């Protein structure tokens, strides 16, 4: 039993000449509270006689003394001498015999009528009427939500005893402390002290022992009846019933279509925690994140948050952990039970079933011919992504762009978008990636990009079917050889053949394959008809290609 307790009753009957003498030789600068009668105290002490001989010490026992003042549970001199002390104060209290163990002493340890000198250091004080004390050290400017019971929180903390002795720190462990609030996962004082906190708020929480670990303490670090002081930084907050939240939406004025499950989307994002710390961003990689949505290819909260958006839209999507990476987290960057905040910019999306979209912006009043398969066309174009990023333009080149439609010279979507145009017509064409450059993209074109073309048809030369060099626009002459044999000598040399073909083209009766030198076409046609290769065509050699195709098919059958 500590010699600081239970004074002998007879000492109260003896009169003495002096009271306790207090020497406050070390007083802390800050003293928010002083010991009052009825308070509980936890303190260390050394006790000596007036000659300096030590006969008792809490330090040697390795445990501080705990007692209540003003209730007769301490020797009267200590009961008086400890009043007004501050935590971390050191004082010497000289106690006369009548306020110590009196004329009887204490067994063989304290002789009768001994004056005792106590060297005290106050470690802790509390009262049963104490409440949890909270003090906000710093708070964020914007607090949209604060901690309530049944919420799940992640917080960092430094924990000390009331005298400043550290006993635990989440920072030293390199991870937050994670817990439900109000469900008995935390000590009662922390359950109460963390209520009302905002993410990013720092708060000091002082918890009396009976709302902490009480008489039992906790391990070697937290002694019995210890007041605990926590410096808490709230890092994260959610409720297990939370759904995703969408805010800070910037929607384009024109939104022809909103995304649905099954669409393939390209978007940029910044990923942060609730405290604003970035854990990932697509911008640093200079590549969009590309995925199908609503099909389980991404975390469920993102799957949901990406539906119903417009191309070009920006939005902030906040995902509770049960709709993100859950208790497990993801790698080193995303801890377990983390709320994730994604600031998203939708670049484009499409559906694998999408076709080419054509919007005519100008059509000339007179339009006698329209472009079709096999036609040679010349056109202007501007090509960009749906977010307006310019990719290519015919204005970058000296000559107009040209192509033969249906000849696999341009991407399928552009080939389709150029059909049915009049000379002078302008249109915009939206091409999904499966009709553009696909998942791999092309030089200067990102993979899976939807393309936006502005087109203007400048020139149109009607074409001929594949395999043909010349076609009749009108019916061929009934006596074709006689019409071709201009000098009627029964033979048609290449000069006469060429003159005839060019005349048909000039009169609009026939059409040569566009984009090819007419002399080459005439030479090829002549070689094909000059069966015996004698340099002239006779009536028996001349056959239309249609007739040749019929003969070839008959032979094959």
């Amino acid at each position: 039993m500590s010699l600081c307790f239970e004074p002998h009753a007879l000492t109260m009957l003896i009169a003495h000449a002096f009271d306790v003498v207090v020497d406050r030789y070390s007083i802390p600068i800050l003293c928010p509270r002083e010991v009052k009668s009825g308070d509980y105290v936890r303190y260390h002490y050394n006790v000596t006689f007036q000659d300096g001989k030590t006969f008792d010490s809490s330090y040697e026992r390795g445990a501080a003394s705990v007692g209540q003042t003003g209730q007769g549970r301490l020797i009267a001199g200590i009961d008086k001498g400890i009043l007004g002390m501050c935590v971390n104060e050191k004082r010497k209290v000289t106690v006369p015999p009548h306020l110590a163990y009196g004329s009887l002493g204490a067994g063989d340890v304290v002789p009768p009528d001994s004056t005792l000198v106590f060297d005290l250091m106050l470690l802790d004080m509390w009262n049963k009427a104490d409440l949890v004390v909270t003090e906000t050290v710093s708070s964020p400017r914007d607090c949209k939500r604060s901690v309530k019971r049944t919420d799940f929180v992640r917080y960092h903390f430094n924990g000390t005893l009331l005298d400043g002795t550290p006993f635990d720190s989440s920072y030293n462990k390199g991870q937050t402390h994670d817990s439900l609030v109000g469900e008995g996962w935390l000590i009662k004082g922390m359950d109460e002290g963390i209520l009302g906190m905002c993410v990013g708020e720092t708060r000091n929480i002082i918890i009396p022992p009976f709302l902490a670990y009480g008489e039992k303490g906790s391990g070697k670090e937290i002694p019995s009846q210890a007041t605990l002081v926590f410096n808490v930084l709230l890092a994260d907050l959610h409720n297990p019933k939370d759904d995703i939240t969408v805010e800070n939406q910037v929607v384009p004025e024109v939104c022809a279509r909103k995304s649905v499950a099954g669409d393939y989307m390209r978007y940029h994002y910044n990923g942060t925690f609730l405290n604003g710390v970035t854990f990932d961003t697509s911008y640093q990689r200079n590549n969009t994140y590309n995925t199908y949505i609503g099909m389980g290819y991404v975390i469920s909260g993102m799957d949901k948050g990406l539906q119903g958006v417009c191309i070009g839209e920006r939005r902030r999507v906040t995902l509770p952990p049960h709709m993100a990476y859950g208790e497990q987290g993801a790698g080193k960057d995303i801890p377990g039970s983390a709320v994730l905040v994604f600031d998203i910019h939708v670049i484009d999306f499409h559906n694998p079933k999408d076709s080419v979209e054509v919007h005519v912006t100008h059509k000339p009043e007179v339009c006698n011919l329209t472009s079709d398969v096999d036609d040679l066309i010349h056109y202007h174009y501007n090509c960009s992504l749906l977010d307006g990023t310019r990719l290519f333009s015919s204005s970058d080149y000296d000559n107009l762009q040209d192509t033969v439609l249906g000849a696999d010279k341009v991407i399928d979507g552009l080939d389709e978008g150029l059909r049915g145009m009049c000379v002078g017509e302008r249109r915009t064409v939206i091409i999904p990636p499966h009709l553009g450059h696909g998942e791999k993209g092309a030089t200067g074109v990102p993979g899976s990009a939807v393309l936006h073309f502005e087109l203007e048809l400048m020139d149109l030369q009607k074409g001929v079917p594949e395999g043909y060099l010349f076609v009749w626009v009108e019916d061929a002459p009934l006596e074709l050889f006689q019409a071709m044999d201009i000098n009627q000598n029964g033979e048609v040399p290449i000069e006469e053949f060429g003159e005839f073909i060019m005349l048909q083209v000039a009169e609009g009766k026939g059409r040569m394959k566009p984009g090819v030198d007419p002399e080459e076409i005439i030479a090829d046609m002549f070689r094909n008809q000059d069966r015996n290769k004698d340099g002239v065509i006779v009536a028996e050699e001349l056959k239309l290609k249609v007739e040749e195709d019929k003969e070839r098919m008959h032979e094959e059958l």
Side-chain angles (χ1 to χ4, degrees):
M1 180 182 295
S2 168
L3 295 180
C4 296
F5 296 94
E6 300 181 2
H8 198 284
L10 292 177
T11 61
M12 305 303 294
L13 303 176
I14 302 174
H16 288 266
F18 65 94
D19 202 347
V20 295
V21 177
V22 176
D23 176 15
R24 303 178 72 184
Y25 67 89
S26 179
I27 303 173
I29 296 175
L30 298 177
C31 182
R33 177 176 179 178
E34 297 179 347
V35 176
K36 297 179 180 179
S37 180
D39 285 345
Y40 287 84
V41 290
R42 189 166 58 86
Y43 60 95
H44 270 305
Y45 68 87
N46 284 315
V47 188
T48 65
F49 298 114
Q50 284 185 304
D51 62 2
K53 180 181 178 182
T54 299
F55 68 86
D56 192 16
S57 172
S58 63
Y59 295 100
E60 291 181 0
R61 291 198 304 274
S65 290
V66 178
Q68 186 179 16
T69 62
Q71 302 297 314
R73 297 179 182 180
L74 305 174
I75 61 174
I78 293 301
D79 226 358
K80 296 182 68 174
I82 206 167
L83 293 176
M85 278 194 82
C86 306
V87 171
N88 285 327
E89 180 181 338
K90 296 178 181 179
R91 61 170 59 174
K92 285 187 178 181
V93 180
T94 302
V95 181
H98 69 282
L99 296 176
Y101 294 98
S103 60
L104 296 180
D108 297 333
V109 179
V110 181
D113 297 319
S114 295
T115 297
L116 306 180
V117 180
F118 287 82
D119 193 336
L120 304 177
M121 179 175 180
L122 187 62
L123 303 175
D124 203 339
M125 76 173 89
W126 72 96
N127 193 290
K128 285 189 175 180
D130 285 349
L131 302 174
V132 173
V133 177
T134 62
E135 176 192 11
T136 297
V137 178
S138 64
S139 58
R141 293 181 180 179
D142 186 20
C143 180
K144 297 179 180 178
R145 177 176 182 176
S146 59
V147 178
K148 297 179 181 179
R149 296 189 185 279
T150 73
D151 282 344
F152 192 95
V153 294
R154 295 194 309 117
Y155 61 91
H156 273 298
F157 72 90
N158 286 316
T160 66
L161 305 180
L162 198 57
D163 65 351
T165 302
F167 63 82
D168 197 7
S169 172
S170 64
Y171 297 98
N172 293 340
K173 298 174 182 176
Q175 61 184 31
T176 56
H177 186 80
D178 307 342
S179 178
L180 278 171
V181 178
E183 299 292 318
W185 290 26
L186 300 169
I187 56 175
K188 292 182 179 179
M190 184 61 81
D191 251 348
E192 180 181 335
I194 207 166
L195 290 175
M197 284 192 75
C198 304
V199 172
E201 179 180 342
T202 301
R203 178 181 287 190
N204 289 333
I205 303 174
I206 302 175
I207 303 174
F210 54 88
L211 293 175
Y213 294 99
E215 294 183 7
K216 293 182 179 180
S218 180
K220 296 180 180 180
E221 304 297 331
I222 301 178
S224 171
Q225 301 290 27
T227 299
L228 304 183
V229 180
F230 289 91
N231 178 267
V232 174
L233 170 61
L234 188 62
D236 204 338
L237 160 67
H238 77 278
N239 193 283
K241 297 180 180 179
D242 284 349
D243 198 351
I244 66 168
T245 59
V246 177
E247 54 188 340
N248 295 354
Q249 286 181 269
V250 180
V251 182
E253 293 183 4
V254 178
C255 181
R257 169 182 170 186
K258 292 187 176 182
S259 60
V260 297
D263 284 344
Y264 192 88
M265 183 175 292
R266 297 193 313 123
Y267 62 95
H268 271 302
Y269 68 88
N270 282 320
T272 64
F273 302 117
L274 280 183
N275 59 8
V277 175
T278 300
F279 63 83
D280 192 17
T281 174
S282 64
Y283 294 98
Q284 282 188 348
R285 295 189 292 273
N286 199 31
N287 282 312
T288 56
Y289 189 82
N290 307 336
T291 185
Y292 286 98
I293 62 171
M295 300 176 66
Y297 285 88
V298 291
I299 51 179
S300 62
M302 188 62 81
D303 238 358
K304 186 174 183 179
L306 290 173
Q307 295 184 50
V309 301
C310 304
I311 291 173
E313 180 176 337
R314 297 176 187 268
R315 60 167 51 181
R316 172 171 289 180
V317 184
T318 302
L319 281 56
H322 50 275
M323 300 185 76
Y325 293 100
E327 296 180 6
Q328 301 292 328
K332 296 180 180 179
D333 295 323
I334 301 178
S337 301
V339 177
L340 305 183
V341 180
F342 288 92
D343 285 297
I344 293 167
H345 180 203
V346 179
I347 303 302
D348 65 37
F349 60 81
H350 71 280
N351 194 282
K353 298 179 181 179
D354 283 350
S355 57
V356 175
E357 293 182 31
V358 176
H359 304 279
V360 177
T361 58
H362 171 74
K363 198 158 190 173
E365 294 182 3
V366 178
C367 179
N368 296 321
L369 291 176
T370 59
S371 57
D372 204 348
V373 175
D374 301 320
D375 290 349
L376 173 66
I377 61 172
H378 292 79
Y379 60 98
H380 274 307
Y381 73 91
N382 291 312
C383 176
S384 63
L385 302 179
L386 290 190
D387 66 352
T389 302
R390 181 179 181 276
L391 297 179
F392 313 107
S393 174
S394 59
S395 61
D396 297 335
Y397 305 96
D398 295 332
N399 299 316
L400 292 173
Q401 187 73 15
D402 66 79
T403 190
V404 175
L405 295 178
D408 201 25
K409 301 296 184 181
V410 294
I411 55 175
D412 292 345
L414 180 57
D415 197 287
E416 182 178 339
L418 286 165
R419 298 180 191 182
M421 291 187 75
C422 306
V423 173
E425 180 179 335
R426 293 190 293 271
R427 58 173 57 174
T428 61
V429 177
I430 308 298
I431 301 174
H434 51 276
L435 296 174
H437 292 286
E439 294 182 7
K440 294 183 178 180
T443 302
V445 181
S448 301
V450 179
L451 301 180
H452 177 274
F453 278 89
E454 296 174 341
L455 302 174
E456 181 177 8
L457 187 61
M458 306 303 294
D459 181 59
L460 165 63
Q461 298 177 43
K462 297 302 291 183
V464 298
E466 184 178 358
Y468 285 76
L469 296 174
F470 174 90
V471 293
W472 290 99
V473 177
E474 299 178 357
D475 291 338
L478 293 177
E479 299 295 333
L480 179 58
F481 184 81
Q482 292 181 5
M484 188 180 298
D485 185 10
I486 299 174
N487 60 10
Q488 300 297 310
N489 66 350
E491 297 179 340
V492 178
I494 190 170
E495 294 80 11
E496 199 172 23
F497 179 82
E499 182 180 350
F500 173 78
I501 294 296
M502 294 301 293
L503 179 63
Q504 307 312 305
V505 172
E507 293 179 351
K509 298 178 180 178
R511 183 166 64 239
M512 287 192 287
K513 183 176 182 179
V516 182
D517 186 348
E519 292 185 3
E520 291 184 13
I521 292 177
I522 290 171
D524 285 345
M525 292 176 65
F526 185 82
R527 282 193 295 271
N528 185 51
Q529 296 297 329
D530 183 13
R531 315 288 174 175
N532 60 9
K533 308 304 178 186
D534 62 353
V536 294
I537 301 173
V538 296
E540 290 77 13
E541 293 178 304
L542 184 64
K543 293 181 182 178
L544 292 177
K545 189 175 188 306
V546 174
E547 297 171 348
E548 291 180 334
D549 290 343
K550 288 181 180 179
E551 290 179 1
R552 188 181 299 110
M553 183 178 296
H554 180 73
E555 291 173 358
E556 290 176 353
L557 292 175

